[in-house]
Amino acid sequence: MTTPSRRDLEQLSAYLDGQLTQSSQARLEIRIKSDPGLASALEQLRQTRAFLQRTPHRRAPRNFTLTPGMAGIRPPVPRLVPVLSWASAVAMLFFIFTLGAGLVGQLSVGRTASMHAAVPMGSGAGPLAAAPMAPSRGNPATVVPVVAAPAPLAPAATEALATSVPLAASSNPPAANQSVPPTPTLETSIKSAEQATPPAVSWLAQSPAVPKSLKRQVDYWLYIWPGMGVILGASAIAAYGLNKRAFQRKNPPG
Amino acid sequence: MDESVLILDAQHGDLQAFNTLVLAYQDVLFNTALRILNDEDQAADAVQDAFLSAFRALTSYRGGSFRAWLLRTVTNACYDELRRKKRRPTTPLEPETADGEDVESPHWLADTHASPEESLDQAELEHAVQHCLENLPADFRAVVVLADIQGLDYSEVAIAVHKPLGTIKSRLARARSRLRACLQSYRELLPAAFRLEEERSL
C-alpha cells in the first residue's frame, strides 16, 4: 500500500470525473486493483465529491434583473429628430429669405420714393412736387421747422438730405426757388430715411408709399411664422411622447 | 423561449430578454458567489455586478456554454471582492470569550425559527463545507465550487475561470484532497447520515 503522490491524486480525480483517455483509464484501473492505497484515496475523493454535491443550494435572496437606468440605456433618439433638424434648416432659410426680401423691398421702396421726389423737382412741374408745395406757398415760415426736423435722424437720413438738397437746389432756377422753397424734397428725403429705420413691418403696414403686394406679403408671413413654430413644436412634443411610450413598453421599469 | 434567441435579442439591446436570462441563472450565480465569498450581502453585490458586466459585454459572447460565460463574470466579480477584502480587512462581529477566543455559533446568530432535523443536518453540512472552502486559496475554491457544487464539466470550468484544462484538473484534485482532510475533522460533528457515509469510505 503506497501513499498516492500528487500526480496520482490528479489522475484519480480526473478518473472520477471520466476525464482520462481510455488508455490512461485502463492503466490506472490496473494500478487501483493492485494498490489498496490508491483504491482508498479514490474512495475518499469520491466521498468528498459526493459531500460537496450535497451542499444545499440557496435561492437568490432577490431578483437581480436590471432596470434601464442600471444598464445605462437611454431612450432612443426620436425618429422625427432628423426630420425636425431639416425642418429647422428650412425654417432658417425661409427666415433669411423673408428678411432679405423685406430689406430689398424697403430699399426699393426708398429708392422709388426718392426718385419720385427728385424727378419732379428736376423738371419743376411734377404732380408729387406740386401737391405738397401748394399749402406752403402762402406761408414760407413753415419751411423752417421742416428743415430743422431732420436733426435726430439716423446717419442715413442726413446723407439723403445732403444729396437731395443740392440736387434740388441746382436743378431749380433761383427765381422759382425764392417763391417755392425746397420743402417737398426735404420731406421726401426724411421719409426715405425713416424707411431705413426699424420697425420696418409697422412702417410698411402704415406707409402709403408701400405697394399693396408687399404689404400683403408682410401680412402673410406674420401668420406663417407663428404657424410654423406651433407645428414644429407640436410635432417635436408628439415625437418625444410617442418614442418615450414605445421605449417604456419595450423596457418596463423594475 | 429558446435560450439562444434570448441571448441574440439581449445582444441587440433587448433588456427584457436579458432579464429573462437573469431570472434563469440568478440562483446558480448567487450560489457560486456565496460559496466563494461566504457572505450573503457580498455575494448579492457580486451577482448584481456580474449581471451588469455581462449585459455590457454581451456582444463579446461568441457561443458555447452561456452558463459558463456568466459564471466567469461572477467569478471575476468574486475575485475583485476578495481582493478588496484583502486590502480592507473587516473585523467579524463574533463575540469573544474571556480568553479572547471566538465563540462558535453564538446564540444571537442562531435561527430562532423552529427547524426540523433535516434542516439542522443541512445547516451543519453547509457550515462544514463552507468552513473548509474558506480555508482553500481563492483559485482552488472557485474551481471546486464550479465543478463539484455547481456541477460544471471541466471545459465549462476552464471557460469560467479562464484557465487551461490541465490547470483545472490539477487545481480540482488538490482542492478535493485538501477538502477531504478538512471534512474528516468535522466527521464527529456532522449528522449521522453523513458521518456513516464517511465512515463507510474509510
Side-chain angles (χ1 to χ4, degrees), chain A residues 39-137:
Chain A
S40 170
L42 177 66
E43 191 56 31
Q44 286 178 18
L45 283 175
R46 195 193 305 277
Q47 289 297 325
T48 305
R49 192 183 66 163
F51 208 90
L52 292 169
Q53 285 171 343
R54 291 177 70 168
T55 309
H57 280 254
R58 297 267 199 97
R59 292 205 65 183
R62 59 182 169 87
N63 283 338
F64 293 99
T65 49
L66 304 182
T67 61
M70 289 163 72
I73 299 174
R74 290 177 183 177
V77 176
R79 286 174 197 166
L80 279 179
V81 161
V83 178
L84 291 173
S85 308
W86 279 107
S88 305
V90 171
M92 182 53 74
L93 281 175
F94 271 121
F95 176 72
I96 292 167
F97 173 75
T98 45
L99 195 70
L103 283 173
V104 168
Q106 285 176 30
L107 287 174
S108 62
V109 168
R111 275 185 197 153
T112 314
S114 299
M115 281 172 69
H116 278 297
V119 168
M121 288 308 294
S123 63
L128 253 174
M133 276 195 303
S136 63
R137 194 171 286 167

Side-chain angles (χ1 to χ4, degrees), chain B residues 19-190:
Chain B
N19 280 336
T20 309
L21 293 165
V22 168
L23 293 173
Y25 285 106
Q26 62 183 5
D27 286 346
V28 174
L29 263 66
F30 176 73
N31 266 286
T32 305
L34 181 65
R35 298 303 165 213
I36 294 174
L37 294 171
N38 192 23
D39 185 295
E40 278 199 31
D41 292 336
Q42 287 174 2
D45 289 346
V47 172
Q48 192 68 80
D49 288 348
F51 278 126
L52 207 55
S53 306
F55 182 72
R56 286 173 183 160
L58 206 55
T59 47
S60 68
Y61 171 70
R62 304 263 182 242
S65 169
F66 187 66
R67 179 174 65 157
W69 187 82
L70 274 179
L71 283 167
R72 183 175 172 174
T73 61
V74 81
T75 308
N76 287 336
C78 289
Y79 284 157
D80 289 344
E81 185 60 33
L82 287 171
R83 273 193 289 269
R84 197 186 62 78
K85 266 167 73 175
K86 207 173 179 180
R87 279 198 303 270
R88 290 195 291 270
T90 52
T91 309
L93 281 170
E94 285 184 2
E96 291 180 348
T97 60
D99 302 331
E101 290 178 0
D102 290 344
V103 175
E104 287 285 338
S105 303
H107 65 88
W108 49 273
L109 280 178
D111 190 354
T112 52
H113 297 91
S115 55
E117 197 178 338
E118 273 187 18
S119 296
L120 192 66
D121 290 352
Q122 291 287 317
E124 289 292 342
L125 172 67
E126 190 177 2
H127 177 72
V129 169
Q130 199 59 58
H131 183 262
C132 291
L133 281 172
E134 209 168 353
N135 289 333
L136 288 177
D139 293 337
F140 286 24
R141 201 185 313 166
V143 169
V144 80
V145 165
L146 291 167
D148 286 346
I149 296 181
Q150 297 302 331
L152 270 66
D153 62 33
Y154 281 26
S155 58
E156 284 182 310
V157 178
I159 292 169
V161 299
H162 200 44
K163 293 288 177 195
L165 272 177
T167 308
I168 302 303
K169 278 183 191 175
S170 167
R171 285 185 181 175
L172 186 57
R174 291 165 70 183
R176 280 172 176 169
S177 183
R178 288 194 191 194
L179 283 171
R180 173 177 55 87
C182 176
L183 288 170
Q184 275 182 345
S185 66
Y186 271 89
R187 213 155 29 119
E188 296 302 320
L189 300 172
L190 287 175

Side-chain angles (χ1 to χ4, degrees), chain A:
Chain A
M1 181 171 168
T2 56
T3 307
S5 66
R6 194 171 137 182
R7 169 78 182 155
D8 288 338
L9 281 174
E10 276 183 31
Q11 290 275 310
L12 289 170
S13 177
Y15 173 74
L16 205 60
D17 296 323
Q19 295 288 326
L20 289 180
T21 59
Q22 278 192 340
S23 56
S24 300
Q25 190 175 328
R27 277 199 300 272
L28 188 64
E29 281 172 353
I30 293 168
R31 283 186 63 203
I32 291 167
K33 278 177 188 170
S34 62
D35 190 339
L38 281 180
S40 170
L42 177 66
E43 191 56 31
Q44 286 178 18
L45 283 175
R46 195 193 305 277
Q47 289 297 325
T48 305
R49 192 183 66 163
F51 208 90
L52 292 169
Q53 285 171 343
R54 291 177 70 168
T55 309
H57 280 254
R58 297 267 199 97
R59 292 205 65 183
R62 59 182 169 87
N63 283 338
F64 293 99
T65 49
L66 304 182
T67 61
M70 289 163 72
I73 299 174
R74 290 177 183 177
V77 176
R79 286 174 197 166
L80 279 179
V81 161
V83 178
L84 291 173
S85 308
W86 279 107
S88 305
V90 171
M92 182 53 74
L93 281 175
F94 271 121
F95 176 72
I96 292 167
F97 173 75
T98 45
L99 195 70
L103 283 173
V104 168
Q106 285 176 30
L107 287 174
S108 62
V109 168
R111 275 185 197 153
T112 314
S114 299
M115 281 172 69
H116 278 297
V119 168
M121 288 308 294
S123 63
L128 253 174
M133 276 195 303
S136 63
R137 194 171 286 167
N139 189 12
T142 54
V143 174
V144 179
V146 177
V147 175
L153 283 179
T158 51
E159 273 181 32
L161 270 173
T163 51
S164 59
V165 169
L167 249 175
S170 61
S171 57
N172 285 328
N177 272 347
Q178 282 175 358
S179 59
V180 182
T183 316
T185 310
L186 286 171
E187 284 177 347
T188 316
S189 301
I190 291 162
K191 278 182 183 174
S192 68
E194 281 175 348
Q195 287 164 11
T197 57
V201 174
S202 61
W203 176 83
L204 281 171
Q206 290 166 5
S207 174
V210 178
K212 276 190 175 178
S213 60
L214 184 59
K215 257 206 264 185
R216 234 191 346 261
Q217 192 184 353
V218 170
D219 291 344
Y220 184 63
W221 282 108
L222 278 175
Y223 291 104
I224 284 181
W225 277 112
M228 278 179 73
V230 168
I231 290 167
L232 284 173
S235 59
I237 291 166
Y240 176 76
L242 286 172
N243 276 274
K244 193 176 176 186
R245 207 164 60 178
F247 176 77
Q248 282 175 347
R249 204 182 306 129
K250 197 175 177 186
N251 298 303

